[in-house]
Each structure stands twice: as structure tokens, then as C-alpha cells.
């Protein structure tokens, strides 16, 4: 099966839902297994059940603030409807989380690619800079995205601006070959801003649609991070005014609260326009996406549900809630 057919198959709602449901299986079982024990022998949703639910959501890495918001919603509903029984609790939970997420900023993704990825009025490429700490899945996410973009007919350039390790450059090169994107690189240890400059120049000269810049996460402190990212931005603007059009922070969902922390730190160091949450396959911490979408005024655009080329999904709140709080128990 070619990549294009693979995506067509994978993009069918059912296949994506199935991949998501199986990835979130552990998180779902964690939540509902404990929930059914909490309500065993009880018919009414009382204070004790709500306390238990609060603890379950916090354990599922939803985060304290968001958990409190969910519990408040459920409390309000219990107060309105005195006859709410424990049998309805999972439905109520699903509905209230969906309603809460509906208030979070959306990735205005009319596009099945999650973003428009279109050239500007002067024919300059759309520039995406990808940031995040080492090991979260930046390069893999870029590779998966590049494959989707080329499959959709876009011409894509990848810039290996993580020059810290030779292996990082090689890894991006493998993804470029696999996806049919062009790679721009320099030797290990080169200035990342210089690689970004080369990438944008080459992409522009070739009339490419998209340039994606991979960066290194290995930074000693916030000042370092700010300086390096600011330098890359400045250099990019010399080639493509307005670049980068999007700065995507990648966080590893399986690290739960660490992913929260990283989102906090990076958004303090630089302007982040979107998030990708990876490694949601097989983790029990899938609830972190709920907290992240609720608390950061930054849309989650993509989620990673595996290491393979087709394991990147455009984040769909309704689909996510259905997979996490669905009836698959
Ligand atoms: P980077 O340092 O941020 O560029 O991270 P990499 O892209 O090199 O990824 C680090 C590791 O995480 C690699 O082994 C990837 O295969 C793995 N990885 C990335 N995304 C996912 C995902 O969604 N699910 C799983 N299970 N592994 C992932
Ligand atoms: P250490 O001695 O292992 O802490 O490494 P250094 O901090 O001395 O850095 C070694 C090389 O890697 C130097 O050429 C740095 O410019 C480069 N380097 C260090 N940190 C980063 C980083 O976060 N990003 C990039 N791209 N290069 C870095
Ligand atoms: Mg990398």
C-alpha cells in the first residue's frame, strides 16, 4: 500500500477512532475501573462519589485545575437533577468533559491536515518551527507530518536545525527520504539559525509550499532557550517575512504532569501557536490532553499514537473524549 492509500484508509474516521481507542485503553480502564469500584453498592452520586471521582481524574493526569472545573460542573448537575444515579455518572462525565473542552481554543482546522500549510501572497513557503525538549518526539512528528503533506501534494523542505547530535540529523534524513521531502542540513555542531536560513532560502528558491524546522531541545536554561529561539526567528524573517507562521511545541503525553510543566516553560520563553501531544499509545496518562487543552490558550493540533508514519492524528476533541470516556469498558 502506498502512503497515499494508507492515509486514505487511516483518515477514515473509523480507523482513527479505533487506533485512538486502543491507544487510550489503559487510561480508559484506569478511569472506569476505579469509577465502578467507587460507585459499587451506591445508587446516588453523593459527596463521597465525587471525592473519589476527583481523585481518579487527578490520577489520570487531567491536572488539578481542570479536575476541579469538571467536578464543579458535575456538582452543579447533581444539584439540578436530584435523581441522578450512579448509573448515569459515566455519561455525565463524558458530557461535561466534552462541554468543557468545547470552550477551549480550537485549532481552526477546516483542513484535514490540521493547518492550512499554504504559501503566502508573495509565494513564500509556510514555515513551521517545531520546539520541545529532547526525546518528546519532535523529529518523529515532523516526519509523520511531512509524509502527510507530501501525500496531499505539498512540496516540503525539512531543516535539520537540531545540530547537537549527528544522529538527530541522520534521523531527520531518514524521515525525509521516507516521506519524499527535501532535507537541508549542515554538519553537526553548526549554528541552528544558519541551518534555518539555508532551509528557508532553498525552500523559497524551489517554490516549495512548506518548510519545517526541527530544533534541539538540549538547552541549559530558559535564557539560553529564549536566545536561541529568538535568533532562529530573526534569521528566518530575513528570508521569509512573517516567518515562522507557526511554532509548534511537542510534549510527551506519557510524562503526564511533566508535559504540563514543559508547556508552561516553553510558552514563557517563546510564543507558541500550537501543541502536539505524542506517545498517547499505551499510556495511562492520556487525561493530560484534557488538562492541556483546557488550561493553555493554545490549541492542540496533533496527537501521536505510535511510532509509525501513519500514527499522527489531527486532534479532534469530540473523538478524543469518546475514546477516553467511551463505552469501551
Ligand atoms: P525528539 O528528540 O523530540 O526529536 O524525539 P524523537 O522524534 O527522536 O522521538 C523520541 C522517541 O519517541 C523515538 O523512539 C520515537 O520513535 C518515539 N516516539 C515519537 N512519537 C511517538 C508516539 O506517538 N508514540 C510512541 N510510542 N513513540 C513515539
Ligand atoms: P557540554 O559540554 O556537553 O555541556 O556541551 P556544550 O554546552 O559545550 O556544547 C557543545 C556543542 O553543542 C557546542 O558547539 C554548542 O554550541 C552546541 N550546543 C550546546 N547546546 C546546544 C543546543 O541546545 N542546541 C544546539 N543546536 N547546539 C547546542
Ligand atoms: Mg529530534
Amino acid at each position: 500500500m502506498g502512503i497515499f492509500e494508507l492515509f486514505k484508509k487511516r483518515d477514515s474516521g473509523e480507523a482513527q477512532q479505533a487506533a485512538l481507542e486502543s491507544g487510550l485503553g489503559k487510561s480508559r480502564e484506569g478511569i472506569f475501573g476505579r469509577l465502578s469500584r467507587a460507585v459499587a453498592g451506591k445508587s446516588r452520586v453523593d459527596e463521597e462519589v465525587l471525592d473519589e471521582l476527583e481523585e481518579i481524574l487527578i490520577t489520570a493526569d487531567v491536572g488539578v485545575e481542570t479536575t476541579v472545573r469538571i467536578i464543579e460542573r458535575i456538582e452543579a448537575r447533581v444539584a439540578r437533577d436530584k435523581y441522578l444515579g450512579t448509573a448515569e455518572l459515566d455519561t455525565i462525565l463524558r458530557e461535561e468533559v466534552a462541554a468543557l473542552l468545547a470552550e477551549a481554543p480550537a485549532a481552526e482546522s477546516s483542513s484535514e491536515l490540521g493547518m492550512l500549510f499554504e504559501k503566502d501572497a508573495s509565494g513564500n513557503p509556510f514555515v513551521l518551527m517545531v520546539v520541545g525538549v529532547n526525546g518528546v518526539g519532535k523529529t518523529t512528528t515532523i516526519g509523520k507530518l511531512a509524509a502527510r503533506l507530501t501525500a496531499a501534494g505539498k512540496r516540503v523542505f525539512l531543516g535539520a536545525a537540531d545540530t547537537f547530535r549527528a544522529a538527530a540529523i541522520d534521523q531527520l534524513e531518514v524521515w525525509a527520504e521516507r516521506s519524499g521531502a527535501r532535507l537541508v542540513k549542515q554538519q553537526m555542531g553548526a549554528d541552528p539559525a544558519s541551518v534555518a536560513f539555508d532551509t528557508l532560502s532553498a525552500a523559497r528558491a524551489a517554490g516549495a509550499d512548506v518548510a519545517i524546522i526541527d530544533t534541539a531541545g538540549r538547552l541549559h536554561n530558559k535564557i539560553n532557550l529564549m536566545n536561541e529561539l529568538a535568533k532562529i526567528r530573526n534569521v528566518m524573517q530575513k528570508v521569509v517575512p512573517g516567518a515562522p507562521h507557526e511554532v509548534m511545541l511537542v510534549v510527551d503525553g506519557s510524562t503526564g504532569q511533566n508535559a504540563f510543566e514543559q508547556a508552561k516553560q516553553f510558552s514563557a520563553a517563546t510564543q507558541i501557536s500550537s501543541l502536539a501531544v505524542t506517545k498517547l499509545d499505551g499510556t495511562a496518562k492520556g487525561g493530560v490532553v484534557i488538562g492541556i487543552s483546557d488550561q493553555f490558550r493554545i490549541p492542540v493540533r496533533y496527537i501521536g499514537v505510535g511510532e509509525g508514519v501513519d500514527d499522527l492524528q489531527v486532534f479532534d476533541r469530540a473523538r478524543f473524549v469518546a475514546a477516553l470516556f467511551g463505552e469501551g469498558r
Side-chain angles (χ1 to χ4, degrees):
M1 213 187 310
I3 276 184
F4 189 64
E5 285 74 24
L6 190 68
F7 284 130
K8 260 173 69 182
K9 182 168 164 271
R10 201 54 188 250
D11 280 343
S12 77
E14 268 175 50
Q16 287 216 355
Q17 190 69 27
L20 195 52
E21 276 175 17
S22 93
L24 293 175
K26 272 194 200 152
S27 302
R28 190 171 55 243
E29 283 152 25
I31 293 170
F32 289 114
R34 294 188 55 199
L35 199 54
S36 30
R37 282 195 295 281
V39 301
K42 291 187 171 241
S43 58
R44 296 278 301 276
V45 177
D46 58 15
E47 215 36 57
E48 209 183 318
V49 170
L50 288 175
D51 282 351
E52 191 71 24
L53 177 59
E54 184 171 327
E55 202 190 307
I56 292 168
L57 292 174
I58 289 171
T59 312
D61 279 87
V62 170
V64 176
E65 276 177 54
T66 302
T67 296
V68 168
R69 275 151 63 76
I70 295 169
I71 297 293
E72 279 169 1
R73 281 172 168 271
I74 297 179
E75 266 170 354
R77 207 154 147 183
V78 171
R80 268 200 313 274
D81 183 353
K82 302 261 182 287
Y83 298 98
L84 272 182
T86 50
E88 289 118 306
L89 188 55
D90 51 346
T91 310
I92 296 166
L93 177 60
R94 185 162 62 237
E95 287 174 3
E96 294 306 326
V97 172
L100 182 74
L101 286 195
E103 294 167 4
E108 65 306 328
S109 89
S110 44
S111 156
E112 64 200 17
L113 292 169
M115 268 185 255
L116 281 175
F117 292 107
E118 265 155 21
K119 287 188 220 180
D120 69 13
S122 334
N124 289 320
F126 181 92
V127 178
L128 167 65
M129 176 159 86
V130 178
V131 301
V133 306
N134 194 27
V136 291
K138 290 181 298 296
T139 305
T140 307
T141 301
I142 291 169
K144 292 169 178 175
L145 194 54
R148 276 183 98 106
L149 290 169
T150 54
K154 302 278 183 194
R155 293 213 291 144
V156 181
F157 274 64
L158 304 182
D162 176 357
T163 57
F164 188 67
R165 289 171 305 132
I169 302 171
D170 297 343
Q171 188 192 357
L172 193 66
E173 188 152 37
V174 169
W175 276 109
E177 278 162 15
R178 199 181 285 169
S179 61
R182 294 275 303 276
L183 180 80
V184 176
K185 62 173 181 177
Q186 292 181 13
Q187 75 286 6
M188 187 187 125
D191 180 357
S194 159
V195 178
F197 183 91
D198 284 359
T199 310
L200 267 52
S201 305
R204 200 171 81 128
D209 301 288
V210 184
I212 308 179
I213 306 300
D214 195 7
T215 63
R218 188 193 166 288
L219 291 146
H220 309 298
N221 58 47
K222 189 174 142 196
I223 299 297
N224 232 339
L225 176 69
M226 288 169 87
N227 290 344
E228 177 153 316
L229 296 179
K231 185 176 172 198
I232 298 178
R233 278 175 189 269
N234 289 341
V235 166
M236 281 182 177
Q237 281 163 15
K238 291 186 188 155
V239 190
V240 175
H245 304 102
E246 178 99 10
V247 178
M248 186 163 78
L249 173 67
V250 180
V251 295
D252 174 347
S254 72
T255 64
Q257 294 310 300
N258 266 344
F260 255 93
E261 272 311 305
Q262 287 164 20
K264 258 189 214 152
Q265 283 170 16
F266 269 85
S267 41
T270 192
Q271 194 158 2
I272 303 293
S273 38
S274 64
L275 290 161
V277 185
T278 61
K279 308 192 198 181
L280 290 173
D281 46 310
T283 175
K285 297 176 182 290
V288 72
V289 179
I290 305 284
I292 284 181
S293 328
D294 176 44
Q295 280 178 45
F296 291 95
R297 307 274 90 195
I298 306 167
V300 175
R301 278 201 208 279
Y302 300 106
I303 52 176
V305 293
E307 296 183 280
V309 66
D310 56 341
D311 292 326
L312 185 74
Q313 298 194 0
V314 172
F315 179 59
D316 177 314
R317 294 179 283 200
R319 187 185 274 165
F320 190 83
V321 171
L324 186 60
F325 298 108
E327 283 134 313
R329 59 183 174 122

